[in-house]
Amino acid sequence: MTTDQLTTPSSFWNDTGKTGIASWIFSTDHKRIGLLYFYSTFGFFLVGVLLGLLLRLELIAPGRTIMGPETYNATFTVHGVVMIFLFIIPGMPGAFGNLIMPIQIGARDVAFPRLNLFSWWLYVIGAVIVLTSLFTGGGPPDTGWTFYVPFSARTGTNVSLAVLGVFTVGFSSILTGLNFVTTIHRLRAEGMTWGRLPLFVWSIYATAWVQILATPILGITLVLIMAERILGAGLFDPGRGGDPIMYQHLFWIYSHPAVYIMILPAMGVISDVIPVFARKPVFGYKMIAFSSIAIAAAGSLVWGHHMFTSGMSDTAILVFSFLTFIVAIPSAIKVFNWVSTLYKGSISLEAPMLFALSFILLFSIGGLTGLILGAAATNIHVHDTDFVVGHFHYVMFGGTGFAFFSAMHYWLPKFYGRKYAEKPAIVAWALMFTGFNILYFSMMVLGLKGMPRRYYDYLPEFAPLNLVATIGSWILAAGLIVMLVNLFRGLFWGEPVGSNPWGGATLEWSIPTPPPTENFEEEPVVTHGPYDYTKAGVP
């Protein structure tokens, strides 16, 4: 590989007749669209991080610190909306699903390239609408990211515009899911049987079905909020024959499966990274693939565990609690197989692996604390406390976030042709891992002690742990800054890398770095499984 590879005619960086920004925002190449998603979603992640730091700064001591209660309500609402709808849900499928999945199955592009571009545009339009809601109308929405009624139906803040933005982003998610399912069914290369699909592709496939089947319910729910606010329909108003509990059912029928839209692709990343850096084939390939489908299916039936205190019948609570424990089984299968893959492996502790190992630990803590919330008896004691916030961030940030960072260090050098410096990457990981646990473990302890979530102020007895949690947020932010600077410098000015720097056996490592426009010079014929490292670097 040469240092001027980015400028070679075969690289996808030089593949269009257009120049400047038009060559990106009107490109139908899945790699360019994947990078557009990456830049967009990661940009919103940084916005969410900034808002989260402000929230922690406000909570560093009892009473007012840097903002008043109304601003605090708006800030945690925007933090939630940005992180959930503009980063975690679209981030992994949109960015790495687009970048990696078509190459891993031996395709030149996705099934519907123009629809793929349209999906990104819908995402951007939705995001702009959400951002506009912050500065127009009655001010930023202050309902929390759940838009719970009756408050969302009555508040004078700009909920309607925020809901319209989320509704638009939802359409983007549905179209991406349709595109990916069709691509995986119709565009696999010769020899790429279902039993040879990389586990990241299996995770994207399961995620796409959840996007297609569950997201429309969110769309309907958001339309009903608009009907409530604009037309006064009374659907959720008990005084007019409506039922506020119905809103919670509708919202969580989508939003709990959405958790699996967030976490399943992350699990796929870990399933691909662990065997490469353990230098041995993945343990239990079929069970990991099966568990992805099982999580998507069973995860669609457990939404009621968010509503144990809402007044549901005891029978409903029993059923939802039982189903919640069922969905833990396929998750545990994955963790068991990842750990078994590590057993007697020749483990290389480079940055992608460190983030992947962190994922296993942090996701396991998040999963086990989730069982406390899944059991009705304990759920009632910690409902709406900081324990829930800590648990959620262990799953979403410790899980999906750290898997996203692992994917960045693992796959981005393939597309930029250059690599970051390893030592700063490890320093960044150490800071982030330390800061993360100080921050969110403190919040879980605060919740067990009785500190409610979403409260602007708190009793003096909660002050020491809130101070510790805020200090943890600073350490976490310092790690993020080191990681970003190192990646930025490395990917644009770092050491050039060859076509297969990690020794991977999936198809993306068999093509040049950066990938050419059509991915493959000729259609590949797949001759081995994705984790057969005796044939690494060949289709």
Side-chain angles (χ1 to χ4, degrees), residues 109-123:
D109 208 319
V110 295
F112 309 114
R114 292 178 186 277
L115 190 66
N116 201 21
L117 178 63
F118 183 57
S119 298
W120 178 77
W121 271 105
L122 279 179
Y123 165 77

Side-chain angles (χ1 to χ4, degrees), residues 199-268:
L199 289 165
F200 179 70
V201 177
W202 270 109
S203 72
I204 289 291
Y205 180 72
T207 304
W209 276 113
V210 180
Q211 289 175 287
I212 295 169
L213 297 176
T215 310
I217 301 172
L218 175 69
I220 293 168
T221 309
L222 297 177
V223 167
L224 294 180
I225 291 180
M226 299 288 276
E228 197 81 348
R229 287 179 61 86
I230 298 173
L231 304 177
L235 295 165
F236 307 121
D237 183 355
R240 304 175 65 185
D243 184 359
I245 303 300
M246 181 175 71
Y247 175 84
Q248 292 194 31
H249 278 292
L250 287 169
F251 181 82
W252 288 113
I253 285 174
Y254 163 78
S255 294
H256 193 77
V259 170
Y260 301 105
I261 296 177
M262 305 173 206
I263 198 68
L264 274 171
M267 291 172 163

